[in-house]
Amino acid sequence: MLRNSIFSKVFFRDPTQSVGLLKWVKLTLLESYLGEQVIDIILSVSSYQTKSITWKGGDHAEGGYRGELEFFIPATLINRLLKTHILELLEIKYFQHYQVLEKGNTKENKALFSANPNNLPVLSELKLSYNTIWVVINVTIDVIVYLATSDISAALLSGAVIEFIRRFKI
């Protein structure tokens, strides 16, 4: 059976979650900005099967590498400044909402996260959603710039700037 599209789940919160609307909007904007990088990290470490830190009582590395949430933050200058917000994003959206991360405790009761092997296909669907969001943003800004200036060069430049921001997150 085919899964439902994840696209609406990016924008609409689960009624059972106690996350305010303003916080949800902030998290969605942040997710649109760096979600693709987070997904790449989750996918990269999801197949890691060499023994890493294990859950309580377990020796088997299921779901790939296990680490603190901070491990899943792409290392960039801007992300360093947004670290607390990104940790919140990972906890609320990737762990609780999409359930693409799973949580376990070490023998020392330290919380560790890894990819949820049952929800890995959701990551590809999220990536498609993020690309769709950026295309809509790019086209919208291009149209606004063209309507405001009647200059196709300015519209193309604005599109190039948006694409630069999307691809090269500092």
Side-chain angles (χ1 to χ4, degrees):
M1 182 172 177
L2 193 59
R3 291 179 303 281
N4 291 330
S5 172
I6 193 90
F7 191 73
S8 62
K9 204 169 184 179
V10 170
F11 297 104
F12 301 109
R13 58 198 162 146
D14 189 344
T16 61
Q17 285 182 298
S18 60
V19 179
L21 180 62
L22 198 55
K23 181 183 273 192
W24 189 262
V25 169
K26 175 189 82 166
L27 292 175
T28 302
L29 290 172
L30 184 59
E31 177 184 13
S32 297
Y33 172 70
L34 87 131
E36 206 169 337
Q37 292 175 330
V38 169
I39 286 172
D40 287 341
I41 290 173
I42 294 171
L43 286 173
S44 295
V45 301
S46 67
S47 62
Y48 182 82
Q49 293 302 313
T50 304
K51 195 173 181 182
S52 61
I53 301 171
T54 59
W55 308 131
K56 272 186 189 172
D59 239 5
H60 184 5
E62 186 175 305
Y65 182 84
R66 296 182 176 102
E68 296 179 33
L69 270 183
E70 190 173 313
F71 175 78
F72 296 96
I73 299 176
T76 67
L77 178 64
I78 292 174
N79 293 353
R80 191 178 313 266
L81 300 172
L82 297 172
K83 178 182 168 187
T84 56
H85 301 289
I86 297 170
L87 288 171
E88 192 175 47
L89 169 70
L90 289 167
E91 175 79 30
I92 292 172
K93 289 196 100 173
Y94 288 90
F95 172 63
Q96 294 173 9
H97 191 63
Y98 304 131
Q99 299 176 344
V100 294
L101 292 175
E102 60 184 6
K103 183 179 182 180
N105 292 319
T106 64
K107 294 171 184 148
E108 299 82 28
N109 283 328
K110 185 177 183 182
L112 297 177
F113 294 81
S114 69
N116 180 349
N118 300 318
N119 278 347
L120 288 179
V122 170
L123 294 172
S124 293
E125 296 165 10
L126 281 170
K127 209 170 200 179
L128 288 172
S129 296
Y130 302 149
N131 286 332
T132 303
I133 291 167
W134 278 99
V135 166
V136 169
I137 289 170
N138 203 336
V139 168
T140 302
I141 291 175
D142 290 348
V143 168
I144 290 170
V145 168
Y146 182 74
L147 291 175
T149 65
S150 297
D151 183 6
I152 193 72
S153 298
L156 290 172
L157 179 63
S158 70
V161 168
I162 297 297
E163 188 62 16
F164 179 83
I165 291 169
R166 182 183 83 82
R167 287 182 185 254
F168 304 105
K169 296 165 180 84
I170 301 168

